[in-house]
Amino acid sequence: RIGWICHSARLAIAGYAFWILFMLVTFWSDRAAVVRNFGLRMKTDISGMADWQRLAGFSIDFGLWILVAFACWSGWRLFSNYLAGRIFTAESALLMRRLAVYGLSAQLLALLARPVIFIVLSLHLPPGQRMLGFFTQPPDLLNVLFLFAILAFSQIFLVAADVADDHAGIV
């Protein structure tokens, strides 16, 4: 009854992971886009930055993407468990928890990485003009709330799996 949902979720998860990677590579390889995007956020001209600065920015974002990839892998395995009929099991609950923890780690570290990227992209500027900036976007909070909800559900499912095991042992 939930097969189509599980297949759709796995497809969406895989698509998301590859889409984010594609967007990162596309953005960081486009010097003009990096200068425009971060220049507006920093309110300064960073067009004189070196290629190593863009590579360093990409490396930071790629490191965060690795956490996203782990979250996606956990989600893929979770929905694979559901397809196999292992829905309210400890294994599925732990996969759900892993998805939430990797996702939360990626989102919270992304918030902390933004000031580091600002610093890296402004290192070519004279010392008094280097930037340290922090910004958030509305989807940041939404992602954190959504991932905390998944974390809470994973704990509920883990307790439900324990209760089901206890009841199965009694019967």
Side-chain angles (χ1 to χ4, degrees):
R1 290 186 283 182
I2 64 168
W4 70 272
I5 294 173
C6 295
H7 286 297
S8 299
R10 289 186 338 158
L11 182 62
I13 287 167
Y16 178 78
F18 287 110
W19 176 61
I20 292 298
L21 181 59
F22 173 78
M23 295 301 290
L24 286 176
V25 170
T26 302
F27 173 74
W28 285 105
S29 64
D30 184 353
R31 180 182 183 80
V34 173
V35 167
R36 184 176 54 255
N37 183 289
F38 281 97
L40 286 172
R41 291 205 183 275
M42 298 164 88
K43 296 179 180 38
T44 192
D45 180 18
I46 59 167
S47 60
M49 74 176 163
D51 288 338
W52 72 264
Q53 290 172 281
R54 275 189 308 125
L55 181 60
F58 170 76
S59 298
I60 292 167
D61 271 350
F62 183 75
L64 295 170
W65 178 83
I66 290 172
L67 289 172
V68 170
F70 281 131
C72 290
W73 176 245
S74 298
W76 178 276
R77 290 184 54 214
L78 173 66
F79 285 100
S80 295
N81 269 8
Y82 291 170
L83 278 170
R86 297 185 301 269
I87 297 172
F88 293 108
T89 65
E91 179 188 7
S92 291
L94 292 173
L95 284 168
M96 186 184 289
R97 177 186 292 169
R98 196 171 295 143
L99 182 158
V101 169
Y102 282 132
L104 277 169
S105 299
Q107 183 63 57
L108 295 175
L109 286 173
L111 292 171
L112 297 175
R114 290 174 187 163
V116 175
I117 292 173
F118 270 44
I119 291 168
V120 167
L121 294 182
S122 66
L123 281 175
H124 67 284
L125 298 172
Q129 296 178 9
R130 293 183 183 148
M131 305 296 266
L132 173 63
F134 180 80
F135 68 92
T136 60
Q137 300 170 345
D140 295 332
L141 179 59
L142 180 62
N143 289 341
V144 169
L145 292 174
F146 179 70
L147 290 162
F148 268 122
I150 291 174
L151 186 62
F153 281 123
S154 73
Q155 185 62 33
I156 292 166
F157 286 10
L158 189 59
V159 170
D162 287 342
V163 169
D165 286 344
D166 287 345
H167 285 187
I170 295 171
V171 176

